[in-house]
Amino acid sequence: MKKTSTRLADGRELIYYDLRDDTVRDAVDRRPLERTVTTSEVRRDVLLGDSVAIASHRQGRIYHPPVDQCPLCPTTGDRLSEIPDSSYDVVVFENRFPSLAGDSGRCEVVCFTSDHDASFASLTEEQAALVLDAWTDRTSELSHLPSVEQVFCFENRGEEIGVTLGHPHGQIYAYPFTTPRTALMLRSLATHKEATGGENLFDAVLERELAGERVVLEGEHWVAFVPYAAHWPYEVHLYPKRRVPDLLGLDEAARTEFPKVYLELLRRFDRIFGEDEPPTPYISAWHQAPFGTLEEFEGVSRDDFALHLELFTIRRTSGKLKFLAGSESGMSVFINDVPPERAAERLREVAS
């Protein structure tokens, strides 16, 4: 992998990740952009104990542009985009309309390929491995920013999810706090560790799932399963078999096997509802340990956390979506219409 860092016309950082070591990236952003001005502010909800990012500048972000005006495609001739070069393998750049900025963190866009009509599932294993390298590098770099406590790499796929740009891409949020979902996991870890005399809860969950009926696919270094208490109609958790706290902890064997396992998982998602259905909308989310001492979670360290990816769709059956209505949105109590065992069975049935 070759990494080349440059700046866009408004001062935002852009980074090329190339498969070839001899690739030269010297294209200049020719757009007449002014410096980006953001209004991101993090406010604490004292009743719930969580935080909300207020980012009014995002109201003006690009919304479903025509294909020939996609800002994530390479620049061609006089059609200027966020990527100054005429081609790329993987590109990461600071979001022009970030939810988090400055002392409130940082937001980045990850373009998986220059092919507008592709998807992550259509990438080659070599391309997917390069994306993994980019996620890992950005996790490392962002973790050193003074304002960053947790790094979250994710992909929203499909208009049903709320995606406004059709080009295959994901995002990275670098939060200035430990996210509420991670905090819940850490508290459960601490409680279980104390109650069992030191047992790791992630290890116990993984052992139980490996011995059960909800495993979807398994490699030498990774296993994917539908969790016992899945929140979503089709939800899969992908774990490395050797517990590590973040992407940086993966060894070479796990990194090498990841593309094959993950691409197969994504391709199965696209076949859940039949070949005639449109591509399955999904969210793919990496869960990594926060950076820091975790002092508020007594008895738990970063090494107790288990890196894993959670992949789920809001489509519950052909032509129907799972909406977060009263119970889910009002009380955070999910109601799942698809038994996890049946979801796992279906995902095994659609193996390639």
Side-chain angles (χ1 to χ4, degrees), residues 64-345:
H64 293 301
V67 174
D68 63 354
Q69 297 177 31
C70 174
L72 307 185
C73 287
T75 289
T76 54
D78 292 330
R79 193 181 73 80
L80 309 178
S81 75
E82 288 279 63
I83 296 91
D85 217 325
S86 58
S87 67
Y88 63 86
D89 292 333
V90 173
V91 164
V92 176
F93 61 87
E94 288 184 75
N95 198 322
R96 189 177 176 187
F97 302 96
S99 302
L100 307 164
D103 293 338
S104 298
R106 174 158 158 152
C107 292
E108 298 181 342
V109 177
V110 184
C111 298
F112 304 139
T113 171
S114 59
D115 184 355
H116 182 89
D117 297 318
S119 68
F120 202 119
S122 70
L123 299 181
T124 65
E125 290 185 20
E126 185 180 35
Q127 289 174 307
L130 184 61
V131 177
L132 177 62
D133 287 342
W135 283 330
T136 305
D137 181 72
R138 296 314 301 151
T139 296
S140 176
E141 292 291 325
L142 292 170
S143 71
H144 290 97
L145 296 180
S147 62
V148 172
E149 189 168 316
Q150 185 172 2
V151 179
F152 175 46
C153 308
F154 65 100
E155 180 192 2
N156 297 327
R157 190 269 189 97
E159 290 188 21
E160 299 94 330
I161 298 294
V163 175
T164 58
L165 296 175
H167 196 102
H169 73 287
Q171 299 180 67
I172 301 175
Y173 278 20
Y175 297 102
F177 50 79
T178 297
T179 62
R181 189 175 179 88
T182 303
L184 286 173
M185 294 184 198
L186 291 168
R187 291 190 190 102
S188 295
L189 264 177
T191 300
H192 185 84
K193 189 173 184 179
E194 182 179 7
T196 60
E199 182 181 67
N200 184 279
L201 181 57
F202 282 113
D203 293 349
V205 167
L206 191 57
E207 182 179 357
R208 181 185 69 182
E209 294 294 358
L210 278 167
E213 59 182 317
R214 289 179 296 275
V215 172
V216 173
L217 64 98
E218 182 179 356
E220 183 179 354
H221 304 284
W222 294 86
V223 60
F225 58 86
V226 177
Y228 170 74
H231 289 59
W232 298 92
Y234 290 91
E235 175 182 340
V236 175
H237 293 190
L238 178 62
Y239 277 70
K241 290 184 177 179
R242 183 180 69 87
R243 172 164 46 90
V244 296
D246 52 38
L247 289 166
L248 284 73
L250 292 174
D251 60 24
E252 195 58 36
R255 300 183 69 82
T256 299
E257 186 181 73
F258 172 78
K260 180 178 181 180
V261 174
Y262 185 51
L263 290 172
E264 171 63 15
L265 199 55
L266 291 180
R267 290 161 187 168
R268 290 190 193 189
F269 254 60
D270 274 344
R271 293 194 291 269
I272 295 174
F273 305 104
E275 300 291 345
D276 296 331
E277 284 289 312
T280 301
Y282 66 72
I283 292 174
S284 177
W286 279 109
H287 290 261
Q288 305 191 80
F291 293 92
T293 58
L294 306 185
E295 292 178 355
E296 64 180 292
F297 308 101
E298 189 173 349
V300 172
S301 69
R302 290 194 78 249
D303 289 337
D304 290 316
F305 194 87
L307 167 76
H308 63 284
L309 182 144
E310 297 184 9
L311 174 68
F312 60 89
T313 178
I314 62 171
R315 187 178 291 165
R316 56 187 175 88
T317 190
S318 181
K320 297 179 181 178
L321 301 179
K322 165 65 177 177
F323 292 101
L324 300 189
S327 186
E328 292 89 355
S329 296
M331 284 291 153
S332 294
V333 178
F334 275 70
I335 300 169
N336 188 353
D337 301 330
V338 180
E341 293 73 23
R342 175 54 191 148
E345 181 182 21

Side-chain angles (χ1 to χ4, degrees), residues 5-15 28-38 81-82 84 92-98 106-108 138:
S5 179
T6 184
R7 293 282 172 179
L8 296 172
D10 55 8
R12 288 176 294 132
E13 186 178 18
L14 179 142
I15 307 163
V28 176
D29 184 4
R30 294 180 280 130
R31 297 172 299 171
L33 297 180
E34 296 181 357
R35 286 274 174 176
T36 300
V37 177
T38 63
S81 75
E82 288 279 63
V92 176
F93 61 87
E94 288 184 75
N95 198 322
R96 189 177 176 187
F97 302 96
R106 174 158 158 152
C107 292
E108 298 181 342
R138 296 314 301 151

